[in-house]
Amino acid sequence: MTRPDLVPNHSKEEDVGSMKIRFVLPALAAAAALALTGCVNNAESEGTGGASTDTSGIQADAAAVALLPDDIKDRGTLRIGTDAEYPPNEFKDANGNPTGWGVDLANAVSAKLGLTPEWEILGFDSIIPRIQEGTIDMGSSSFTDTLERQKSVDFVNFLNAGSLWAAAKGATIDPDDACGLTVAVQATTVQDTDELPAKNQACLDAGKPGIEVLRFDGQPEVTQAVVDGRADAFSADLPVTGDAVAKLGDKLETVGDVFDAAPYGFATQKDSKTTKAVQAALQSLIDDGTYLKIMKGAGIESGALTTATINAGEN
């Protein structure tokens, strides 16, 4: 994808001081998003993820900037893909633009790199292919770092996360004994591709009824399926499940414990300079306290890291 509004080379301090976030949603992508969500934004129905963190005053880190590929450095923008359907991490604000604590953190990384973040809303399963093609530079969409995904991209890890189930309030649901249940998930998440297939196979191997999986393109639809009784439970990442229950505590409750702990990561091209630059930028944010401020604002400081790692996922 070409960008007509390239930023010329100039002082990195000027870049950060005058930073304006660009949001890109091409016509076809916009049409697809409207077809899937039925609305321009999901701010009212989705979580807020805490107060948004202002990243406008962040100064570029010279050492991180020096690691950038020349084409990105010369362009002056960091093209970031996200599926803004996973509150409170990434969702759409009242104007249809990406927001959430995951967006705040990616904006902060861009600032440390002296770049203007240029967001594009995409389907979750199209982000990694776009990174491989080189049409976007980074994916910021609550990616769980897995060995399978590491075959396609690198991950700069920024949070220890895990999965957590939610069910209707008062329901007697056990995620470890889910045979015969209907469980909702967001399509192509690790819960869809790894967790539920394994649980379903275990049920079948034991001669028990399998698990019916209801797949949706966005987390709001997943949550709604449990609220209206189409699904017995849903499985999602800890911050997402926690936010849904916080908003709908009269209808939902968490069930079971957090499991399958694994790191989140920003996705970047495999073995690229971009990976090293993003790692250095994130470490700079950790060192100066900005990172922890964002984590605390989202209420997820328990999963915060002290070192920015690459490809720490082990499963």
Side-chain angles (χ1 to χ4, degrees):
M1 175 176 235
T2 58
R3 303 286 185 216
D5 49 352
L6 303 184
V7 178
N9 287 327
H10 50 278
S11 161
K12 295 306 179 185
E13 291 188 3
E14 289 177 3
D15 286 345
V16 176
S18 61
M19 181 170 294
K20 293 183 179 179
I21 301 169
R22 299 193 184 104
F23 301 97
V24 180
L25 185 60
L28 290 178
L34 288 172
L36 293 174
T37 66
C39 60
V40 174
N41 71 82
N42 45 28
E44 292 184 1
S45 61
E46 300 190 359
T48 62
S52 180
T53 303
D54 182 10
T55 61
S56 61
I58 295 174
Q59 297 299 308
D61 184 291
V65 172
L67 295 172
L68 282 169
D70 290 339
D71 60 331
I72 295 179
K73 195 183 305 183
D74 293 343
R75 189 198 317 134
T77 60
L78 187 68
R79 302 170 301 181
I80 309 171
T82 191
D83 172 25
E85 295 286 344
Y86 211 50
N89 306 1
E90 304 93 11
F91 58 105
K92 293 188 289 292
D93 67 14
N95 296 314
N97 295 322
T99 190
W101 67 261
V103 175
D104 289 344
L105 186 60
N107 286 340
V109 166
S110 299
K112 280 292 185 182
L113 293 171
L115 301 173
T116 300
E118 193 169 82
W119 288 89
E120 185 169 354
I121 295 177
L122 300 166
F124 184 78
D125 58 356
S126 70
I127 296 174
I128 287 178
R130 291 284 298 277
I131 293 169
Q132 291 177 293
E133 295 167 2
T135 54
I136 59 175
D137 306 309
M138 187 175 84
S140 177
S141 202
S142 301
F143 281 106
T144 299
D145 175 0
T146 67
L147 293 179
E148 184 63 30
R149 287 171 176 168
Q150 287 173 21
K151 296 176 182 178
S152 302
V153 292
D154 283 331
F155 290 98
V156 178
N157 306 117
F158 59 83
L159 181 74
N160 282 323
S163 296
L164 183 63
W165 281 36
K169 198 170 184 67
T172 56
I173 299 291
D174 181 359
D176 294 323
D177 185 18
C179 303
L181 298 182
T182 299
V183 183
V185 292
Q186 182 173 352
T188 73
T189 59
V190 71
Q191 290 82 15
D192 178 26
T193 61
D194 292 35
E195 179 208 340
L196 288 177
K199 278 185 166 71
N200 179 63
Q201 190 59 52
C203 292
L204 298 178
D205 290 345
K208 298 180 179 180
I211 298 171
E212 181 181 355
V213 180
L214 289 185
R215 297 176 177 86
F216 298 92
D217 291 295
Q219 181 61 32
E221 293 86 354
V222 173
T223 302
Q224 186 59 39
V226 176
V227 170
D228 65 24
R230 285 175 290 157
D232 298 298
F234 75 73
S235 181
D237 293 348
L238 169 61
V240 173
T241 301
D243 184 71
V245 171
K247 287 173 54 253
L248 298 168
D250 59 330
K251 299 177 181 178
L252 295 176
E253 64 184 11
T254 62
V255 291
D257 298 319
V258 179
F259 59 93
D260 289 345
Y264 273 180
F266 294 120
T268 53
Q269 267 199 342
K270 195 75 181 169
D271 300 320
S272 65
K273 291 183 178 180
T274 305
T275 301
K276 294 293 187 181
V278 170
Q279 180 191 30
L282 179 59
Q283 187 62 53
S284 183
L285 291 167
I286 292 172
D287 294 342
D288 72 13
T290 303
Y291 163 82
L292 190 57
K293 180 180 178 181
I294 293 172
M295 296 297 102
K296 286 182 175 179
I300 53 174
E301 62 269 29
S302 62
L305 304 180
T306 57
T307 302
T309 55
I310 295 175
N311 296 335
E314 299 178 352
N315 298 308

